[in-house]
Amino acid sequence: MGEYTAFFYGTLMAPGVLHRVIHGTHTPESWQKDLITVRPAMLQNYRRHRVRHADYPAIIPHSGSRVRGSLVTGLTQGDIYRLDIFEGSQYKRDVVKAHVLKDVELDQAAPEQDGDDPEVLEEIVEAQTYVWLEGEETLEPEEWDFEAFKRDKMRAWMGIVEDDDVEIDEGFADVDRAVAEEDSRRTQDKAAEKGLNTARHDPMGGRGANGHITQQLKDAAV
């Protein structure tokens, strides 16, 4: 089925949030972490804004602007399935050209030089990213602050702490529900193939030690 590459510019730049979406936990197994590679990158001719009344951002096309983010490689079709559900219908998944930065840490600010400058550009990679569909009027005028998100919101989004002041994205529940339903359907299909009358429901949604998602990820790592 191949691997996928994606450019993330918002809450998914935080590894714990990304893992919670694609693996169901902010602390996945080490072999699961090893399946993906994360590098600092920049997207040209887009602008990032905070979504009104939300803790997360969106990007829209804008000539001359640029967005600092992360490039993640090694994603599976199952990961993209969960990411699509998490992002929801307000976004569309587009193919873009991400500029991978060299000599820059993941948490370091974007260099002042132009993204095409060979001093800061390692390579240009085709990737997929999520572009806002709801119109500029639904966005705040200012730039979304990733540092503020990490400081004030990230631990709640990762499920580490409960904070009534933090509105957790409903996408997490949507992902868990969709994966559980898909896992249940597959279990029932396999049971039907074997001529069984009932199929046992997996409360872990396939993410347990013997779940189909876990097994697929292990197989992919071989």
Side-chain angles (χ1 to χ4, degrees):
M1 292 184 289
E3 294 185 346
Y4 296 79
T5 299
F7 176 85
F8 297 121
Y9 56 84
T11 60
L12 293 170
M13 290 171 59
V17 178
L18 175 62
H19 285 302
R20 188 179 176 192
V21 174
I22 65 176
H23 295 132
T25 174
H26 69 279
T27 55
E29 300 290 338
S30 59
W31 62 266
Q32 293 175 308
K33 294 180 181 179
D34 292 342
L35 292 177
I36 62 174
T37 300
V38 184
R39 293 185 289 170
M42 197 154 53
L43 188 61
Q44 302 283 18
N45 297 316
Y46 282 85
R47 192 170 62 189
R48 175 174 52 196
H49 297 272
R50 178 174 174 169
V51 175
R52 290 187 185 276
H53 314 298
D55 292 331
Y56 52 86
I59 58 171
I60 55 175
H62 188 268
S63 179
S65 296
R66 61 182 185 174
V67 176
R68 176 71 158 79
S70 60
L71 187 79
V72 179
T73 57
L75 296 167
T76 67
Q77 187 176 21
D79 296 334
I80 295 296
Y81 168 72
R82 291 187 282 276
L83 288 163
D84 283 348
I85 296 171
F86 178 75
E87 296 293 358
S89 60
Q90 292 178 305
Y91 299 83
K92 64 174 179 176
R93 180 156 44 89
D94 275 355
V95 176
V96 295
K97 299 289 187 180
H99 294 225
V100 182
L101 304 175
K102 63 181 179 181
D103 301 325
V104 176
E105 298 296 328
L106 280 173
D107 285 342
Q108 189 175 340
E112 293 299 323
Q113 298 99 314
D114 184 89
D116 291 324
D117 190 326
E119 291 187 7
V120 300
L121 178 64
E122 181 173 310
E123 60 177 327
I124 299 176
V125 177
E126 186 175 275
Q128 299 183 54
T129 197
Y130 293 90
V131 180
W132 189 244
L133 290 174
E134 298 291 303
E136 190 170 347
E137 66 277 5
T138 62
L139 305 175
E140 297 285 352
E142 66 268 12
E143 162 81 3
W144 180 73
D145 191 338
F146 182 50
E147 292 303 316
F149 171 78
K150 289 193 297 181
R151 183 186 64 243
D152 302 329
K153 312 287 186 179
M154 184 175 70
R155 288 173 60 82
W157 275 59
M158 290 166 58
I160 298 176
V161 298
E162 292 186 6
D163 190 338
D164 293 337
D165 294 329
V166 177
E167 184 177 350
I168 306 301
D169 197 307
E170 295 179 357
F172 288 119
D174 292 339
V175 170
D176 291 340
R177 182 165 49 251
V179 171
E181 290 173 354
E182 178 68 10
D183 184 62
S184 177
R185 184 191 63 78
R186 290 180 179 178
T187 302
Q188 292 172 5
D189 288 346
K190 289 181 179 180
E193 291 175 0
K194 295 178 180 179
L196 300 178
N197 294 324
T198 60
R200 186 175 54 139
H201 175 64
D202 181 0
M204 295 296 291
R207 297 191 184 93
N210 298 314
H212 79 276
I213 292 175
T214 301
Q215 190 57 52
Q216 286 175 1
L217 290 169
K218 287 181 179 178
D219 293 343
V222 176

